[in-house]
Amino acid sequence: IIAAFGEVLVGDQVVADVIEDRYGSPFEIVNEASVDRVVNIWNVQVCRRPMKTGASQIQKALSLPQAEITMRVAERQVNIPESERAKKPDFAIYLNDDHETHLVCGEAKLSSKWKSNKSDMKGRGANKNWIWPWRQIATYCAGTNTRYGCLVTPDELVVVRLYQNNGGYDSIFNLEYKAIPWENEGKGKLTVNLGLWAMAMMALNTGHRPIFPQADTLPI
């Protein structure tokens, strides 16, 4: 990330703009809506200005049209082929361009019900319960033709990248992922908010956003 975006990250322009208190009742986890609230109150605030500043610089460097980037919780619908109605990711990062281009699709889950490490899930149906969130985020990403998605829980942000494993008309999608614990903090650490920011910045590149075969993508 530093190698790719160091010039954007270093300096006084990329500053988080946080106005809400990040402690107390807004961050008590009761259900999945609680995780959505954490994303809306904390992650959106921390990432908003750095995303906008970074997007402007990267679009200019890549000679792309200038388009405002934004992050919204529970507001973006995705039209899925063969589905009777549009689906709605828990949150999305997208451009306010003519196509409202999706960059990153996100889902919120409870740590008590799902973990990225399958061996940490217990009880009957653990294998089935583990696979469904991956399928859910893959469906959103495929429907918007972005390779980047994520799953957020009270314990971790799991960044996801899709790739095609046959490249044909009826492509079968596989995914790669990296779990980032919420406890990560400090200089030189991959944090949850840096993970969100980096995915959005990578997805700005029109050559790095569509879903390609794995051989045509850089290592995650």
Side-chain angles (χ1 to χ4, degrees):
I1 293 172
I2 295 298
F5 304 118
E7 292 184 359
V8 179
L9 287 169
V10 175
D12 297 330
Q13 296 186 44
V14 182
V15 179
D17 182 17
V18 181
I19 59 175
E20 292 275 358
D21 184 352
R22 68 186 180 112
Y23 300 99
S25 58
F27 294 90
E28 292 177 359
I29 304 299
V30 179
N31 50 34
E32 285 189 7
S34 304
V35 186
D36 290 337
R37 187 168 61 246
V38 172
V39 173
N40 204 21
I41 293 177
W42 181 240
N43 300 111
V44 172
Q45 283 196 80
V46 173
C47 294
R48 184 179 65 88
R49 282 185 59 194
M51 280 185 184
K52 292 181 185 298
T53 303
S56 177
Q57 295 183 38
I58 290 169
Q59 288 167 344
K60 183 178 180 180
L62 296 176
S63 298
L64 296 171
Q66 289 286 313
E68 186 82 359
I69 190 174
T70 191
M71 182 175 177
R72 291 283 187 269
V73 175
E75 292 183 13
R76 306 302 304 160
Q77 289 191 340
V78 175
N79 293 314
I80 306 298
E82 301 180 2
S83 176
E84 294 182 358
R85 59 181 181 178
K87 308 294 185 181
K88 186 179 292 185
D90 287 333
F91 62 94
I93 303 169
Y94 63 98
L95 293 175
N96 282 319
D97 57 9
D98 292 339
H99 304 288
E100 295 191 335
T101 303
H102 277 76
L103 304 176
V104 183
C105 298
E107 275 294 305
K109 302 297 176 188
L110 289 174
S111 303
S112 58
K113 295 183 178 180
W114 186 85
K115 301 178 186 296
S116 62
N117 187 343
K118 183 165 61 174
S119 63
D120 291 337
M121 294 183 61
K122 310 297 181 184
R124 294 181 59 185
N127 287 342
K128 180 179 179 180
N129 292 337
W130 183 77
I131 199 67
W132 276 110
W134 300 116
R135 290 176 173 171
Q136 188 177 17
I137 202 66
T139 298
Y140 292 142
C141 289
T144 55
N145 195 29
T146 179
R147 68 183 70 170
Y148 299 108
C150 59
L151 295 156
V152 63
T153 78
D155 292 337
E156 59 188 351
L157 171 77
V158 186
V159 296
V160 174
R161 186 177 68 183
L162 265 67
Y163 65 89
Q164 300 170 347
N165 67 3
N166 62 9
Y169 176 76
D170 295 323
S171 292
I172 299 172
F173 298 106
N174 286 10
L175 57 83
E176 304 166 290
Y177 64 94
K178 169 73 175 179
I180 306 171
W182 273 95
E183 63 193 28
N184 280 10
E185 63 177 345
K187 187 175 181 179
K189 294 287 187 178
L190 179 55
T191 64
V192 166
N193 285 315
L194 181 57
L196 288 168
W197 183 88
M199 277 192 297
M201 298 304 102
M202 289 188 288
L204 288 168
N205 189 322
T206 55
H208 291 175
R209 183 171 62 247
I211 305 170
F212 291 150
Q214 189 177 31
D216 297 326
T217 61
L218 296 171
I220 190 169

